[in-house]
Amino acid sequence: MVGGTRSGPDHWHDPDLRGGTMRQLVLLALVGLGAQLVDGSLGMAYGVTSTTLLLAIGTSPAAASATVHLAEIGTTLASGIAHWRFGNVDWKVVAKIGIPGAIGAFAGATFLSSLSTETAEPVMSVLLLTLGLYVLFRFTTFGLPRHNLGKPLRKRFLGPLGLIAGFVDSTGGGGWGPVGTPAILASGRLEPRKTIGSIDTSEFLVALVSSLGFLFGLGSQGINFSWVLALLIGGVIAAPIAAWLVRLIPPRVLGSAVGGVIILTNTRTLLRSDWIDASDAVRYPIYAVIYAVWAAALIYSIRQYRANRDQERELVAETHAKA
């Protein structure tokens, strides 16, 4: 390859991007650890966070998503076991959403593998940005409705949800949690810790089948297995910690924080892409507005959580007593 071009899987052979240095591997392990802490505590963001980083350093969209999904086979398995040990899993929900999710993931993986880098990268950034906007708006504005808590979640709801979330997850490098978790939380039928635990556990099926889809579409070309291992190690270390933290961290506050990170990172990617190619004079004011809105959302979420903290604790205690 001449000039270290980053178009297509061959850019992985660029010495600047080859995952062989200890610094790169440690960084990826820390990213995997941090992403899994957020994902295991909130039920989303491992794939989005990890894929966004890989895209930012020049990985092709298909290879980035394949790398993350291969790592997720191990992290979701570890996370599912940890959530099960802490009593955070509803196995009926796992079965009803996980199988359709796996079907959607395979379809999404084979679809993304057929796209060129030039086509897929901006499309992925738009998708990730949309997910970030939804996460920020959903958690900041509405919090966690609980008026239907305890009512069953039906196949006609979980089946299509899993199919869509699985497809989005493969094509966007993340999306199983951002699509699935808020939708189930919005229904108010399953308490937050079991929503998060069930989504994280069912994601094992999605990651496994999605990885098979990528390997079918790409082979092993473009997949850096040392990077997969680094992300996996960080995620496995964080999985039991996150399953424990899910009882302590307010999902509303963490949701606002994650949404802001996704929005800022992918806005930056889009503004620098060939689609827009914005100048510094355009980019920096936009970043400033995002920071201001993000800070306001965090402050509002924290205040709302504090105002309703006692009420939420009483409701959770009642739910646990009934269970």
Side-chain angles (χ1 to χ4, degrees), residues 51-140:
T51 302
T52 297
L53 173 71
L54 292 177
L55 286 176
I57 60 178
T59 309
S60 72
S65 193
T67 299
V68 169
H69 281 91
L70 282 170
E72 281 186 322
I73 293 175
T75 60
T76 54
L77 179 61
S79 181
I81 292 172
H83 277 297
W84 167 65
R85 293 290 298 272
F86 282 100
N88 298 336
V89 178
D90 185 320
W91 290 105
K92 291 181 180 179
V93 172
V94 170
K96 290 176 183 177
I97 197 172
I99 295 174
I103 296 171
F106 186 83
T110 53
F111 170 75
L112 182 62
S113 298
S114 67
L115 294 178
S116 67
T117 300
E118 292 77 11
T119 301
E121 188 165 6
V123 170
M124 183 181 290
S125 294
V126 170
L127 181 57
L128 294 172
L129 177 59
T130 303
L131 292 173
L133 287 167
Y134 179 71
V135 171
L136 181 68
F137 177 78
R138 178 66 188 82
F139 278 87
T140 302

Side-chain angles (χ1 to χ4, degrees), residues 155-247:
K155 286 183 180 179
R156 63 172 177 262
F157 169 69
L158 292 176
L161 176 63
L163 194 66
I164 294 170
F167 185 86
V168 170
D169 190 82
S170 287
T171 54
W176 179 253
V179 173
T181 300
I184 295 178
L185 288 175
S187 73
R189 298 191 173 206
L190 192 65
E191 61 177 300
R193 70 182 182 90
K194 287 199 173 183
T195 298
I196 293 166
S198 300
I199 285 291
D200 274 9
T201 302
S202 59
E203 193 172 9
F204 170 73
L205 293 174
V206 174
L208 178 62
V209 175
S210 182
S211 296
L212 293 175
F214 280 117
L215 291 174
F216 175 79
L218 292 174
S220 60
Q221 185 180 25
I223 300 175
N224 191 310
F225 288 97
S226 63
W227 289 27
V228 172
L229 182 61
L231 288 171
L232 173 61
I233 291 172
V236 169
I237 292 172
I241 302 172
W244 172 70
L245 285 176
V246 74
R247 296 171 177 263

